[in-house]
Amino acid sequence: MRKSIASYLSLSLTICILVGISFTTDETVDLSKYSTAGLKLDYTVSPDDSIANDDLASNDLNQTFSPYLGKSFVGFKEAIGFKESGGDYNSVNTFGYLGKYQFGAETLKMIGINDPSHFLKNPGLQEKAFIANAARNKWILRRDIKNFVGKRIDGVLVTESGILAAAHLAGPGSVKRYLRSYGLDNFADGYGTTVRYYMKHFSGYDTSFVQPDRLAKAL
């Protein structure tokens, strides 16, 4: 009987020692064999080293989180929408321009929208209108984009996104005159905002998403 108890105690002690050793063993994992080398990594937005970490997060808990859109096409149209109206789909300015992107009634007609009231109440239609208008302007300005992108006019580097933004502000005709006069004919809207300002302020965005289309319609 005593031998059985002694054997039981010895077995229990051995198990405790083995369990203790298993928890105290410092086993390292070799990560050198795990690598992304050779893999095609697909990012939706290019890295931008100029953005600080503080820009990505805020200590103010009352602020609404907004993803960093960088120089993407979505970043382009949202930047224009914010400049035009603060991003307000219901906005109507003192000159009667409508919506988030501040369209005039005549421009809306050219892209197939004949009911400004319906347009103002329809955010989805406003987004389609922005793309249609950009596509139409890109077709009208296709030769100027080819001839002037990469050059400097009045100290401003000409980019496709700057041209399209300026055309949204002032119309493609005003942008043609600005480019072909090398900055001498610098149209300003009713609030004093110039073609040159939009050309500079919206420079360098990726607008390859917009396909030139002479007959582009929002509907």
Side-chain angles (χ1 to χ4, degrees):
M1 183 70 172
R2 289 181 180 177
K3 286 184 179 182
S4 297
I5 295 173
S7 298
Y8 176 75
L9 291 175
S10 176
L11 179 61
S12 299
L13 181 60
T14 301
I15 292 173
C16 290
I17 291 172
L18 291 174
V19 170
I21 292 173
S22 68
F23 279 109
T24 57
T25 300
D26 184 16
E27 181 181 355
T28 59
V29 178
D30 182 10
L31 297 177
S32 63
K33 60 176 113 177
Y34 299 95
S35 173
T36 58
L39 295 177
K40 182 179 179 181
L41 303 178
D42 188 14
Y43 297 98
T44 56
V45 178
S46 300
D48 188 342
D49 294 334
S50 65
I51 182 172
N53 288 333
D54 291 342
D55 293 331
L56 296 175
S58 171
N59 292 325
D60 185 355
L61 297 179
N62 293 322
Q63 290 186 357
T64 301
F65 172 74
S66 177
Y68 178 68
L69 299 174
K71 292 292 187 176
S72 66
F73 175 72
V74 175
F76 172 70
K77 72 181 186 66
E78 291 304 312
I80 290 181
F82 185 80
K83 179 66 178 70
E84 291 285 340
S85 69
D88 182 4
Y89 288 107
N90 299 309
S91 175
V92 180
N93 76 4
T94 53
F95 294 99
Y97 287 82
L98 307 169
K100 177 180 175 179
Y101 301 104
Q102 295 292 277
F103 279 99
E106 292 304 314
T107 300
L108 291 176
K109 287 180 182 178
M110 286 189 289
I111 55 176
I113 299 172
N114 297 303
D115 186 346
S117 298
H118 174 67
F119 170 79
L120 194 61
K121 298 174 183 177
N122 193 326
L125 184 57
Q126 292 186 34
E127 295 297 335
K128 290 178 181 179
F130 178 84
I131 295 173
N133 188 54
R136 180 178 174 275
N137 288 338
K138 191 169 182 176
W139 186 86
I140 295 171
L141 293 163
R142 63 197 184 283
R143 292 190 181 90
D144 297 277
I145 290 170
K146 180 180 179 181
N147 293 333
F148 288 98
V149 165
K151 296 181 179 180
R152 286 191 178 272
I153 294 179
D154 195 17
V156 175
L157 178 65
V158 179
T159 65
E160 182 179 287
S161 63
I163 288 175
L164 294 180
H168 181 85
L169 171 77
S174 295
V175 176
K176 280 187 178 184
R177 290 189 289 273
Y178 173 84
L179 293 171
R180 296 177 187 185
S181 69
Y182 284 85
L184 294 177
D185 190 341
N186 187 19
F187 171 88
D189 72 0
Y191 298 107
T193 306
T194 64
V195 167
R196 181 186 183 277
Y197 176 82
Y198 262 47
M199 194 83 69
K200 180 179 180 180
H201 192 72
F202 296 103
S203 173
Y205 285 87
D206 179 6
T207 52
S208 59
F209 172 82
V210 179
Q211 297 302 310
D213 184 354
R214 181 173 64 92
L215 302 176
K217 303 294 181 184
L219 298 176

